[in-house]
Amino acid sequence: MLKKVLPAFLLIMVVLLYVLFSIRYAIQTQDVNVILDKFLLTLEAQVQREKMDAMKMAISLSKNSALVDALERDDEDFGYKVLSNITREILENTNINIRVQILTSDYHIFARSWDDIYTGMPLEDFRSDLEYFKHNKTPRSSIETGRLLSIKTTVPVLKDEKVLGFVEIIGFFDTITDFFKNMGIDFYVLMDDDYLERAVFMQENEMLSGYVVANRNYNHNNIGLLKNINFTTLKRDRVLRVRDNYVFYETMRNGNGDAIGVFAFVLRQKYLNYFKEEQDEASFFINLTKSSLYEIVQNKEQENLSKEFIDMRALLQLREQIPKEQMEGYKKELYEKLDGYTKEELMELLLEQKIIKKVDGKIR
């Protein structure tokens, strides 16, 4: 009797174990796919934030009368002086280091905020994205290849509907890399090595499996892991488990929608549960989008701050009319109010106050 029952019992046990392991695998697969979706939503939000911040600044700079005048008069020295003064003032007051360059209408370097070495150099051969402006006068912000892979935000400088040139803010992925790093996620921006010939400033960058590492502050500890994975398999499955790590994949595209590389995330297995979807919505915010939750609070507070911000603009505009005997009190009140503003708000105020004086090109 036992001999007859035992095979059937073993078969049932095998089937049950198979079903259990299949369910467990399916749940785990679903978990990691949910985590990948969260990572991609967060990445998209961070990239959009970088683009919007750069766009606001580039539009403001494109209206700067001193820069417009420098372009119109083809005065490269004055353009460099104005631009470097602006970015230095922003750095000193906000601790934000931005890289801005001005291009002529035929895509030659007119001035750059960080040096004056490459003035006059044509960029059209390096920058296929600039072809967009042959038929458009609207701003553009996108991830583009060139001598460096970067987030390029380009705004035409117009006068009487004529394009005098372009203001361009060049952003890298340092802030985004640090954002993910602070969450326990290692983030890698990998450019397809087909673009390496034109990317002359990336020739010495780390290479792996047909890609060039483009972000600068990545975690070097995972380079060996990434060099040994099959990117074809990763592209197909979008998630790979490698020893005690999960590697997540997303295609990186330029402004035309062309694939130009990969966004890769590496997450230690021990952190996996931290990012899993929970039943309650609050846990979702705690696990992944603490910064988004902070933004929601900030947006509500912003409604109350808008009037105060308008008052601050008026207060700044009064500085030329304050008598000397009242200047000390004015400065004290001004410093107290400025102390409560964010870096972005301070930058906006700086750019609005026409901080460049055409008389001597210096920021006051």
Side-chain angles (χ1 to χ4, degrees), residues 62 95 103 107 111 118 157 173 178 233 245 258 271 318 332:
S62 73
N95 202 33
L103 308 181
Y107 316 124
Y118 292 96
V157 178
F173 295 87
D178 285 337
T233 304
N245 299 279
D258 302 323
Y271 298 140
L318 284 172
K332 183 178 179 182

Side-chain angles (χ1 to χ4, degrees), residues 185-245:
I185 307 160
D186 294 322
F187 176 62
Y188 299 85
V189 181
L190 310 177
M191 184 186 75
D192 194 311
D193 64 6
D194 289 344
Y195 300 98
L196 189 57
E197 184 176 350
R198 72 173 65 168
V200 293
F201 293 151
M202 297 177 63
Q203 303 289 330
E204 303 300 319
N205 286 29
E206 189 77 52
M207 303 283 298
L208 52 94
S209 304
Y211 297 100
V212 187
V213 183
N215 51 335
R216 300 174 292 187
N217 52 335
Y218 59 89
N219 184 353
H220 293 260
N221 295 335
N222 292 318
I223 292 299
L225 179 151
L226 292 172
K227 283 184 175 180
N228 290 319
I229 66 173
N230 187 322
F231 271 85
T232 302
T233 304
L234 178 61
K235 181 179 180 179
R236 183 195 66 205
D237 297 341
R238 302 188 72 204
V239 180
L240 279 182
R241 181 175 175 179
V242 184
R243 298 188 297 276
D244 296 328
N245 299 279

Side-chain angles (χ1 to χ4, degrees), residues 158-172:
L158 302 173
K159 187 169 184 180
D160 300 327
E161 296 302 312
K162 179 184 177 182
V163 177
L164 300 179
F166 304 89
V167 171
E168 187 163 78
I169 293 181
I170 302 171
F172 300 102

Side-chain angles (χ1 to χ4, degrees), residues 66 74 76 98 184 209 260-261 271 329 341 363:
D74 197 26
E76 296 168 343
I98 61 171
S209 304
I260 57 173
Y271 298 140
Y341 284 87
I363 294 176

